[in-house]
Amino acid sequence: MTTRKVRVRFAPSPTGPLHIGGVRTALFNYLFAKKHGGDFILRIEDTDSTRFVEGAEEYINESMEWLGMPIDEGVKQGGEFGPYKQSERREIYKKYADQLVETGWAYYAFDTPSELDALRAKAEAEKVPFSYDMHTRNGLKNSLALSDDEVKQRMDAGEPWVIRFKMPENTEVQTNDMVRGSVTFNTATLDDKVLYKSADNLPTYHLANIVDDHLMEISHVIRGEEWLPSVPLHILLYRGLGWEDTMPQFAHLPLILKPTGKGKLSKRDGDKGGFPVFPLNWQLEDGIAMGYRESGYFPEAVVNLLALLGWNPGTEQELFSMDELIQLFTIERVNKSGARFDPDKAKWFNQQHLIRKEDAELATLFQVELKERGHEIGNGFVQEAVAMVKERVNFVSELWEQTAFFFEAPSTYDPKVVKKRWKGDVPAFMTELTPELDKVENWKADDIKATIAAQIEAKELGFGLVMNAFRLALVGGGFGPDLMTIAEMIGREETIQRVKAAVENIG
RNA sequence: GGUCCCUUCGUCUAGUGGUUAGGACACAUGGUUUUCAUCCAUGAAACAGGAGUUCGAUUCUCCUAGGGACUACCA
């Protein structure tokens, strides 16, 4: 293969929200393109007019934007190889479909879908597979079996037709897949795929993708493993069109599998396992499909976790930025086998990226929720609070439950902690403690601690017992970061208030 | 059914013709900690099976088994 410019495309079909497997395909295309200084193209494959879904294209664009994969050429961005939407390229395909018929690589067929359905049903009843292929095509209604006159007659009468690929008999087709190595097929088991349909004057995926990849000068086709079986058809199409010498190189990515059970990851798995399968939320008739963005994931965490599903750099590094991924990515290190999606590890990736974020950035993110809860707090204070708990949350959305006591007094007290820590001399001690707290000269963690410690010693009580009770009074439970720092941050007045409230309310 | 692809701890994976088969998530135990978490340490945990090639195979070949994808006028 000559050293031509790397140009790859991500070619989703606008039939609904982008599946996470599709996102991973996009990511690997993007990484490959950027690694080689090439172009990343987004092509909308809407050749199935019956499956078009409103808003899906916009969803794809928004997803790519959120994930940080800027598109070099596409419907929105434009480019010299447009249009980038297949439904706007109608005229282009017809010409090549005709060419294939003229050169004997394809033929017209008039069999209706219902006729074919009937044949399939009949075959199934007899437990033999029906296939529109070299064995059956001569007995069906097509330009191979019918006379020229009859073909012309049917065409003139406006009868719907399709153009089918005439699969050669017993030909070995070999490909050198970048992730799988040599793969060989024999055309004897392949059928005559529909390439073009008069019903909507559009090609099917197979013809459209070959024509577009050629015209758009795509150098590498990186796509999911589900396409592997159609590789021989595609190669033959390049051959039939006379483009085999500039045919792109293929790379078929392993599938992303369900966390448990069998098969590839589907929308239902997300519902069952409580994790997102889509980058962004998507409104369904009967509910909503969860998105990573709305579930609180950082785009860089999603990119990171997806990159490691089926690829690794061969080192023990697991956390990467997009730039690092671009540097390190090679198709050669893509795995062959399917990767099972692990929701736990997905969370871990988010946590790791969260920990690495600046406190200021997290604070700003967290401020949104604080405002919703009616707390107008300076960013400095929020930063301090966030810094103390960031290592114990996976998501920004978990920050509140870990820091609520910084912003408001506890309204309830964890009964288990009450039972264990609020007993004996403790309540009385807490009452006696408040005037002592009032006397702390310098309201800093160290001084507060010294004061309390002195009191504990004077009363000969257990340090742990008292501190836990004190914690219960300030935070309402047995959790949270360093207690003295909490006291320092919420201030003397508030601390004393909370101790008094605890004495009153816990009984 | 047919075609093609795949197979290292539960999961994601590294790895080499000779390794104590490494890491991460999850799990368990212990330690630190005023609690929980964090953190640290430790542990349990894998080469699907069978032949063959070889002095020696997890690694190479073949077979079997298992899994997956595809098999539409969908992509």
Side-chain angles (χ1 to χ4, degrees), chain A residues 105-288:
Chain A
W105 283 90
Y107 57 89
Y108 290 99
F110 300 96
D111 318 85
T112 65
S114 59
E115 285 170 347
L116 294 173
D117 284 346
L119 285 168
R120 279 194 195 92
K122 183 164 168 270
E124 197 176 337
E126 293 164 12
K127 297 218 192 272
V128 290
F130 170 77
S131 171
Y132 206 120
D133 59 19
M134 64 194 78
H135 306 292
T136 57
R137 65 183 165 223
N138 288 119
L140 294 159
K141 296 178 190 167
N142 55 57
S143 59
L144 261 23
L146 270 23
S147 70
D148 291 353
D149 278 351
E150 190 172 348
V151 170
K152 188 173 185 309
Q153 206 178 342
R154 285 174 183 265
M155 301 278 278
D156 290 346
E159 200 175 307
W161 47 263
V162 298
I163 291 176
R164 280 182 184 271
F165 187 71
K166 187 181 172 190
M167 188 58 72
E169 291 179 32
N170 201 242
T171 304
E172 293 269 304
V173 181
Q174 192 260 357
T175 181
N176 220 340
D177 191 275
M178 288 194 285
V179 343
R180 275 147 222 287
S182 177
V183 183
T184 308
F185 305 84
N186 190 302
T187 56
T189 58
L190 270 23
D191 64 345
D192 294 351
K193 284 273 178 279
V194 171
L195 301 178
Y196 196 91
K197 45 215 154 81
S198 69
D200 50 11
N201 279 310
L202 281 168
T204 60
Y205 168 82
H206 301 292
L207 210 222
N209 105 84
I210 268 64
V211 168
D212 288 345
D213 286 346
H214 173 75
L215 261 22
M216 293 180 181
E217 296 180 13
I218 299 302
S219 61
H220 301 263
V221 170
I222 303 169
R223 80 239 281 199
E225 187 188 320
E226 66 268 29
W227 293 109
L228 202 50
S230 38
V231 164
L233 203 219
H234 295 172
I235 291 176
L236 258 12
L237 245 11
Y238 280 105
R239 191 173 297 170
L241 260 2
W243 299 336
E244 204 173 2
D245 54 336
T246 56
M247 184 170 71
Q249 277 195 272
F250 294 108
H252 288 90
L253 272 19
L255 263 17
I256 297 179
L257 276 14
K258 298 173 185 293
T260 55
K262 306 165 177 180
K264 65 175 174 179
L265 189 64
S266 73
K267 168 184 158 258
R268 287 200 58 78
D269 297 313
D271 298 341
K272 259 186 294 181
F275 61 88
V277 173
F278 302 104
L280 277 31
N281 271 4
W282 176 261
Q283 190 62 49
L284 303 162
E285 320 79 60
D286 57 339
I288 188 161

Side-chain angles (χ1 to χ4, degrees), chain A residues 24 28 32 177-180 222-223 251-254 307 309-313 329-337:
Chain A
R24 207 249 336 231
F28 283 20
F32 184 76
D177 191 275
M178 288 194 285
V179 343
R180 275 147 222 287
I222 303 169
R223 80 239 281 199
H252 288 90
L253 272 19
L309 233 35
W311 173 86
N312 79 82
F329 186 79
T330 61
I331 294 272
E332 289 68 34
R333 292 206 63 91
V334 171
N335 277 92
K336 293 182 177 72
S337 50

Side-chain angles (χ1 to χ4, degrees), chain A residues 318-358:
Chain A
E318 295 209 87
L319 271 6
F320 304 91
S321 66
M322 185 70 99
D323 285 343
E324 289 175 300
L325 289 172
I326 291 170
Q327 286 300 315
L328 296 166
F329 186 79
T330 61
I331 294 272
E332 289 68 34
R333 292 206 63 91
V334 171
N335 277 92
K336 293 182 177 72
S337 50
R340 197 161 267 184
F341 181 82
D342 183 350
D344 281 332
K345 197 145 188 183
K347 283 183 192 157
W348 178 79
F349 276 112
N350 205 67
Q351 184 203 25
Q352 293 302 310
H353 282 271
L354 186 148
I355 290 170
R356 282 162 181 72
K357 284 201 181 288
E358 296 294 331

